[in-house]
Amino acid sequence: MEKISVNKFYKPEEIEEKLTKKWEREKIYSLKSDKSDPKYYVLEMFPYPSGEPHMGHARNYIIGDVIAKVLSRKGYNILHPIGFDAFGLPAENAAIKNGMHPRESTMANIDRMRKALKRIGMSYDFDDEIITSDPDYYKWTQWFFLMFYKMGMAEKKEAPVNWCNSCQTVLANEQVISGRCERCDSLVGKRILSQWFLKISGYAQRLLDDMKLLKEGWPERVLTIQRNWIGRSEGAMVDFKLSGSEGISIPVFTTRPDTLFGVTFFILAPEHPLVDKIVESEDYKKEIEKVKNIISGQSDIERGSAEIEKIGCFTGRYVINTLNGREVPVWIANYVLLEYGTGAIMAVPAHDQRDFEFASKYGIPIIEVISPDGESHRKRSAAYSGEGIMINSGKFSGTSSEKGRKDVTSYLEEKGIGKFYVNYKLRDWLISRQRYWGAPIPIIYCEECGIVPVPEKDLPVLLPYDVDFKPKGLSPLFYCDGFVNTTCPQCGGKAKRETDTMDTFVCSSWYFLRYCSPHNDKAAFDSKEVDYWMPVDQYVGGIEHASMHLIYARFFIKVLYDSGLLKFKEPFIKYFPHGIVYLGGQKMSKSKGNIVNPSEIYNKYGADALRLYILFMGPADSPVEWSDSGVEGANRFLNRVWRLVIKNIELIDNIKSTHNERNDPEYPGKDIKDKFKNMKLSRLEMELYRKLHQTIKKVTNDILVRFNFNTAISAVMELVNLIYKYQEEVPDSKKNTSLVKELTWKLLILLSPITPFIAEELWLKAGNTGSIHRVRWPDYDPEIAREELVTIVFQVNGKLRDRMDLPVDTPAEEIKKHVLSSEKVKHYTDGKEIIKEIVVPNKLVNIVVKS
RNA sequence: GCCCGAGUGGCGGAAUUGGUAGACGCAACGGACUUAAAAUCCGUUGAGGUUUUGCCUCGUGCCGGUUCGAUUCCGGCCUCGGGCACCA
């Protein structure tokens, strides 16, 4: 037990360092209790160890930590783990820059990060941390890859892929943001390469359908991002026969089968493999080569912008629109993309703006087939893409466009030339990377046997240490003979290893499973533990992962569910995206130089002030502007709490020895409520007692239900302000020490998840033993929290004219009496006819008069 | 272009179910304490008006509607942020 000494001043630097050690010694960081308690899995997205944690990290982890700490105190068995997403480009680029080996650099960064996390009082059990670049971990990442491979969910295929010239590697679609590399921001080009993909596109519909399981726990805006990314659209797949070549037909996807009669030409993407096959005449071949050259010189961004001029050329061939037997010319054009749909389109210039511009430029006929009013409009200056009535459409003329889509589709199905079709924008997930710092893809290429998966018993395929890891277009492992050359596990003959490594998003798609049994060396995870802990109850992390990690992880879990390994379909029941921290109106970032490092703050004011301010600065899910004076305010509040509590402790100690008859040395009392009932409390004391219970109610609800940490803190501030009022207005000899004790203890408990250090220090200073972080979270008594008096607002015609404090639940008739006798109200109602009197119990009265 | 958010004092924000707009904090100003400063404490702080210790009018992006009553609900617009995007 520590005794009160000279402690007039709050010195965070002294107490925080001391308590960090105490907590580590006493294992206060682990919030696991007992499997008989209800479980709760709180998880924050684990960090890339690219250096010291930044403010965004701090916000993320502090939010998760407060939730975990409160729930643990409410009797939950809490899993609140930490680890490091250690493979990948950021770590590797940083290593190259520093001239260090990625492993050393990563481990050094992890060390700094771990220290910082401990320093800000996070409740992580570091004995259970995981590092994805450890062979113990990536062995199982490789194991999952093999599982996907065996299920037919991983495949090597040739496709146009995104190539980042600066990172010297391919990227997944999700890692290309507006045509630029997610990591280095340089322009991304296209290459046709043979790469490994995970077949996420087959799960598009399931990813959409299962969103209904997330409706409660995920913000709508995140689901919208995913919905947009998956990009479902309904329509028809229609076959167009190539004229003059028996048996060749080209399918196209359209969302508007109702416009089929308006097709006047047909376009293939310039890269479409059919282009070279179908062009016969040498003249056309030359012309096409010319146009293709121009188009391939256009970057993806250029081609993706609507402003760029549409160019193309005729191929000399025709296709037949089976619906009306019309023969239409086949063109190539820059605005048709190989990746989307079938890489070919039917062009309807009257009803598609792009087709309209193209047809106008090249003099292709325009036939109107949808009319808003059923009339034919000879000339238009733009395409009409709205709904209307089908015209010039044979037997379908007169049908509404909505109905026409269905009717035409049925007709196509009957005739066997088309079918209802759902198209998705979601592409397969490209996971190979031509970089060193990642988990090697466990595949062997044998001259005899072809692609051979590495047998499970040979895992992990170790990433060799001694490699020239600088990116050079091909994986650095390709130049590492000791790694590449191997023998075929099937025939024993000479073979070569796959030298690409896996996208780090593969590592992070299952880490939350590993946390359930982090030391298991027999399997990726222990099913019993996963069945107990998973799914994650509360996930916290940046929204920038909405269409990356959060989609990949959902997909991964669905595949594992299908394989029978898991019993749940969604990994994260609730997801809370924290807002970005800004400085000077811009997102804090190293490259812009507008950084406030959390360490600057905790070195100056202490971790508690950092935590308090981060939570107080605004709603946790909205972006906030960093303010230095805001931190000072937080620090001022903590000083205020410190002085208040120290004074209260002294008061309690002094009066204990003078046998004040109102003093009750027992704490916690068996039945606090009865105790106070039998005591005569002054008006202010009653108010304080009530405020305490209201505060407990509000803080608990704001943290656990509303995620409004800022209002939870302002409620505690109000309580502190009121206790100060008591301390200053009432002489010590007249103070009720039982109440002071009750207020002081509970104030500290309410603060303890938010500002763990100061709460613990004051708790100990007051003579308590153990740790405040093991004390049960207080309940509130609704009866005590209930106000006795309530301000009733008197309105006339909806305008506030007077108000009065009346006992709660005063009957309507009595309130009305007060209202009608109010001079102020009379002033507005005298001589006027009262039409209506509205009485809202405990709120207001509104007198409606004729004016 | 389509989809999702948001818009409240000098600033961050609060108002949880349609019922007192501006809680809590920051900044600013005035005062107390001090030789002085820091720290601390007290007071003022949406705008305008006024017969000034009280009261009145206006006020939650803009216009309109529903309602006894709207920051909150509905319709239309504006601005900002975000997602998708020559996506067929």
Side-chain angles (χ1 to χ4, degrees):
Chain A
M1 195 192 291
E2 289 181 50
K3 203 57 206 157
I4 304 161
S5 53
V6 190
N7 38 39
K8 286 266 187 275
F9 303 103
Y10 167 50
K11 288 187 183 147
E13 65 280 9
E14 284 173 18
I15 64 179
E16 290 182 0
E17 199 194 335
K18 180 182 74 185
L19 289 176
T20 307
K21 283 181 190 147
K22 171 186 166 352
W23 292 340
E24 213 157 343
R25 210 165 49 233
E26 295 172 8
K27 294 215 167 266
I28 297 296
Y29 291 117
S30 171
L31 301 179
K32 280 189 190 164
S33 59
D34 194 283
K35 287 232 167 119
S36 59
D37 291 330
K39 73 98 183 178
Y40 204 89
Y41 188 169
V42 186
L43 181 65
E44 298 100 52
M45 288 178 186
F46 65 169
Y48 283 121
S50 48
E52 257 184 76
H54 53 70
M55 236 9 125
H57 283 131
R59 204 174 187 201
N60 186 32
Y61 299 122
I62 290 167
I63 289 167
D65 192 48
V66 171
I67 297 164
K69 281 187 159 106
V70 173
L71 283 171
S72 138
R73 310 272 289 284
K74 281 184 85 68
Y76 284 86
N77 183 21
I78 303 286
L79 182 59
H80 184 222
I82 189 68
F84 300 93
D85 192 7
F87 267 144
L89 287 184
E92 187 175 344
N93 288 342
I96 292 166
K97 207 171 142 196
N98 303 334
M100 285 171 84
H101 189 280
R103 191 196 289 169
E104 317 308 341
S105 148
T106 299
M107 292 318 276
N109 282 340
I110 287 176
D111 215 48
R112 286 162 72 194
M113 217 132 188
R114 193 190 291 122
K115 277 197 187 111
L117 290 169
K118 283 183 186 175
R119 181 66 188 78
I120 59 174
M122 301 300 305
S123 56
Y124 299 128
D125 190 344
F126 285 93
D127 296 341
D128 286 348
E129 79 174 15
I130 57 178
I131 297 174
T132 58
S133 58
D134 275 354
D136 290 348
Y137 184 89
Y138 72 72
K139 171 179 177 177
W140 302 110
T141 306
Q142 292 173 336
W143 184 84
F144 279 120
F145 174 88
L146 292 175
M147 197 190 100
F148 272 62
Y149 181 78
K150 283 165 201 159
M151 289 171 76
M153 291 300 300
E155 121 184 288
K156 196 173 196 199
K157 63 181 176 188
E158 193 161 273
V161 295
N162 307 300
W163 176 263
C164 173
N165 215 19
S166 152
C167 293
Q168 288 281 300
T169 183
V170 296
L171 296 171
N173 278 4
E174 287 77 5
Q175 286 151 7
V176 182
I177 315 290
S178 311
R180 291 174 179 275
C181 172
E182 183 235 347
R183 280 291 142 205
C184 69
D185 212 36
S186 42
L187 283 169
V188 170
K190 281 270 189 270
R191 285 190 180 186
I192 295 187
L193 293 170
S194 180
Q195 300 282 308
W196 283 98
F197 290 85
L198 297 186
K199 292 158 110 178
I200 190 172
S201 62
Y203 278 69
Q205 193 56 48
R206 300 241 322 258
L207 288 165
L208 283 175
D209 289 344
D210 286 348
M211 283 186 189
K212 64 178 183 286
L213 304 172
L214 307 176
K215 255 196 150 144
E216 300 292 314
W218 285 44
E220 179 56 35
R221 62 193 166 116
V222 180
L223 297 179
T224 304
I225 292 174
Q226 293 206 348
R227 235 177 256 126
N228 284 342
W229 186 254
I230 294 166
R232 180 184 203 272
S233 53
E234 279 185 11
M237 192 64 87
V238 190
D239 288 331
F240 283 75
K241 278 200 189 93
L242 187 67
S243 193
S245 297
E246 276 309 305
I248 297 186
S249 73
I250 313 170
V252 293
F253 172 69
T254 176
T255 54
R256 294 297 298 270
D258 53 317
T259 63
L260 254 167
F261 285 84
V263 173
T264 56
F265 60 112
F266 189 95
I267 311 175
L268 289 170
E271 304 86 353
H272 200 291
L274 266 183
V275 174
D276 290 338
K277 285 185 197 154
I278 63 170
V279 179
E280 286 163 343
S281 135
E282 283 305 317
D283 290 349
Y284 284 121
K285 272 188 187 164
K286 266 188 206 153
E287 189 58 26
I288 282 176
E289 270 323 300
K290 239 195 261 171
V291 173
K292 272 171 96 171
N293 273 335
I294 298 172
I295 296 172
S296 65
Q298 294 174 340
S299 74
D300 258 32
I301 294 215
E302 282 176 305
R303 241 177 110 178
S305 106
E307 278 94 60
I308 197 165
E309 205 195 340
K310 290 173 178 44
I311 53 166
C313 78
F314 180 44
T315 59
R317 300 293 301 266
Y318 293 84
V319 290
I320 300 162
N321 182 357
T322 318
L323 203 59
N324 57 6
R326 194 196 301 266
E327 221 173 44
V328 294
V330 177
W331 289 63
I332 63 165
N334 57 342
Y335 72 95
V336 174
L337 309 171
L338 183 61
E339 293 93 337
Y340 187 75
T342 60
I345 65 158
M346 57 179 231
V348 186
H351 305 293
D352 181 287
Q353 187 57 28
R354 298 154 295 171
D355 297 345
F356 180 86
E357 286 167 26
F358 194 82
S360 304
K361 177 176 172 181
Y362 290 102
I364 302 167
I366 297 171
I367 300 174
E368 188 183 21
V369 291
I370 303 288
S371 165
D373 53 11
E375 302 290 317
S376 195
H377 306 261
R378 269 281 151 109
K379 276 195 175 166
R380 280 186 184 275
S381 54
Y384 174 72
S385 56
E387 302 290 351
I389 296 158
M390 293 173 71
I391 56 172
N392 304 324
S393 296
K395 64 171 188 166
F396 296 100
S397 292
T399 315
S400 76
S401 47
E402 287 100 329
K403 187 168 181 291
R405 283 200 276 280
K406 286 180 196 141
D407 291 357
V408 171
T409 307
S410 313
Y411 183 77
L412 292 171
E413 280 175 357
E414 261 170 52
K415 294 276 165 187
I417 49 172
K419 59 180 187 208
F420 175 76
Y421 192 81
V422 178
N423 195 64
Y424 303 91
K425 282 185 220 164
L426 187 68
R427 309 282 86 192
D428 279 337
W429 173 14
L430 169 50
I431 60 153
S432 16
R433 295 291 178 275
Q434 290 71 49
R435 295 290 295 246
Y436 167 68
W437 193 233
I441 295 173
I443 287 290
I444 290 168
Y445 302 102
C446 169
E447 280 167 28
E448 295 297 315
C449 316
I451 296 178
V452 181
V454 172
E456 232 175 83
K457 66 172 173 50
D458 294 342
L459 294 182
V461 176
L462 282 172
L463 181 69
Y465 180 84
D466 220 357
V467 173
D468 175 16
F469 48 80
K470 289 194 182 56
K472 31 177 98 68
L474 281 175
S475 171
L477 296 180
F478 179 83
Y479 304 97
C480 180
D481 292 343
F483 177 83
V484 176
N485 297 319
T486 185
T487 50
C488 172
Q490 274 176 24
C491 69
K494 272 193 180 172
K496 288 190 186 299
R497 284 188 192 281
E498 168 67 60
T499 54
D500 284 354
T501 55
M502 274 187 260
D503 178 9
T504 181
F505 280 106
V506 179
C507 309
S508 59
S509 290
W510 71 280
Y511 75 109
F512 41 89
L513 300 174
R514 185 68 183 168
Y515 280 139
C516 301
S517 49
H519 308 293
N520 191 327
D521 57 1
K522 303 276 181 301
F525 56 81
D526 181 333
S527 288
K528 244 195 248 158
E529 294 294 321
V530 161
D531 288 348
Y532 175 79
W533 287 111
M534 285 296 294
V536 172
D537 294 279
Q538 181 67 60
Y539 201 27
V540 184
I543 197 167
E544 69 272 16
H545 284 293
S547 58
M548 293 192 273
H549 163 62
L550 287 169
I551 278 200
Y552 295 144
R554 290 186 61 214
F555 158 64
F556 224 84
I557 291 313
K558 286 181 199 307
V559 174
L560 265 54
Y561 172 85
D562 288 349
S563 77
L565 277 175
L566 299 176
K567 292 175 180 156
F568 52 91
K569 295 179 179 172
E570 285 291 336
F572 317 119
I573 296 175
K574 291 201 282 176
Y575 163 56
F576 183 86
H578 69 264
I580 295 166
V581 184
Y582 286 82
L583 185 65
Q586 284 191 307
K587 186 178 173 175
M588 277 192 188
S589 83
K590 264 186 207 164
S591 55
K592 291 193 188 101
N594 59 336
I595 289 264
V596 178
N597 218 304
S599 64
E600 287 173 42
I601 304 303
Y602 59 67
N603 287 332
K604 190 168 174 194
Y605 299 104
D608 280 340
L610 172 72
R611 294 175 64 112
L612 183 71
Y613 177 61
I614 281 205
L615 294 170
F616 185 61
M617 58 186 176
D621 56 351
S622 53
V624 278
E625 173 76 23
W626 179 264
S627 146
D628 284 332
S629 53
V631 196
E632 278 171 39
N635 180 51
R636 201 173 308 157
F637 173 73
L638 292 177
N639 273 287
R640 229 164 114 75
V641 169
W642 180 271
R643 289 192 306 269
L644 179 75
V645 172
I646 292 290
K647 197 139 186 265
N648 284 348
I649 293 171
E650 281 168 0
L651 175 80
I652 294 160
D653 271 24
N654 289 340
I655 296 193
K656 207 188 282 175
S657 53
T658 61
H659 294 282
N660 183 308
E661 59 174 17
R662 291 172 77 190
N663 180 45
D664 180 352
E666 288 298 311
Y667 184 84
K670 280 243 161 79
D671 196 336
I672 297 284
K673 201 167 108 192
D674 282 350
K675 192 169 70 182
F676 285 109
K677 211 183 269 169
N678 297 330
M679 269 179 202
K680 279 190 205 144
L681 293 182
S682 71
R683 214 193 153 89
L684 180 56
E685 284 165 354
M686 266 321 295
E687 200 186 328
L688 263 169
Y689 192 35
R690 192 181 307 122
K691 185 77 177 176
L692 172 65
H693 281 259
Q694 289 170 344
T695 308
I696 295 170
K697 178 185 180 182
K698 184 161 173 60
V699 170
T700 312
N701 187 56
D702 280 359
I703 291 177
L704 296 182
V705 181
R706 301 207 312 151
F707 279 73
N708 280 6
F709 305 94
N710 53 332
T711 52
I713 290 166
S714 61
V716 177
M717 285 173 169
E718 284 182 44
L719 177 65
V720 168
N721 290 346
L722 198 62
I723 303 177
Y724 255 99
K725 190 176 171 194
Y726 184 64
Q727 195 182 74
E728 278 154 17
E729 283 182 7
V730 180
D732 280 359
S733 59
K734 295 210 170 146
K735 281 190 183 123
N736 181 331
T737 46
S738 293
L739 180 61
V740 168
K741 253 192 195 177
E742 176 83 1
L743 288 166
T744 308
W745 287 188
K746 297 236 163 115
L747 167 67
L748 291 178
I749 296 172
L750 289 179
L751 276 174
S752 62
I754 297 164
T755 55
F757 296 99
I758 192 172
E760 177 89 319
E761 180 69 8
L762 290 170
W763 180 258
L764 295 173
K765 278 212 185 311
N768 296 294
T769 51
S771 168
I772 195 169
H773 301 294
R774 294 283 190 234
V775 175
R776 207 179 159 83
W777 191 253
D779 292 318
Y780 74 95
D781 186 324
E783 241 177 86
I784 301 168
R786 216 168 86 119
E787 290 285 354
E788 279 179 344
L789 292 177
V790 64
T791 307
I792 306 286
V793 168
F794 300 173
Q795 296 182 333
V796 178
N797 286 352
K799 293 208 161 150
L800 188 148
R801 296 304 178 189
D802 202 0
R803 60 186 102 194
M804 188 184 263
D805 288 341
L806 291 170
V808 170
D809 293 339
T810 303
E813 282 310 308
E814 205 173 312
I815 298 179
K816 259 198 258 175
K817 257 187 249 163
H818 287 291
V819 174
L820 295 173
S821 59
S822 153
E823 288 301 322
K824 288 170 190 163
V825 170
K826 270 190 204 164
H827 182 252
Y828 290 93
T829 56
D830 268 0
K832 287 172 181 163
E833 189 195 337
I834 294 176
I835 305 167
K836 214 172 182 182
E837 290 164 345
I838 290 136
V839 182
V840 184
N842 297 327
K843 285 263 161 72
L844 57 68
V845 176
N846 189 13
I847 308 286
V848 186
V849 297
K850 219 175 202 175
S851 48

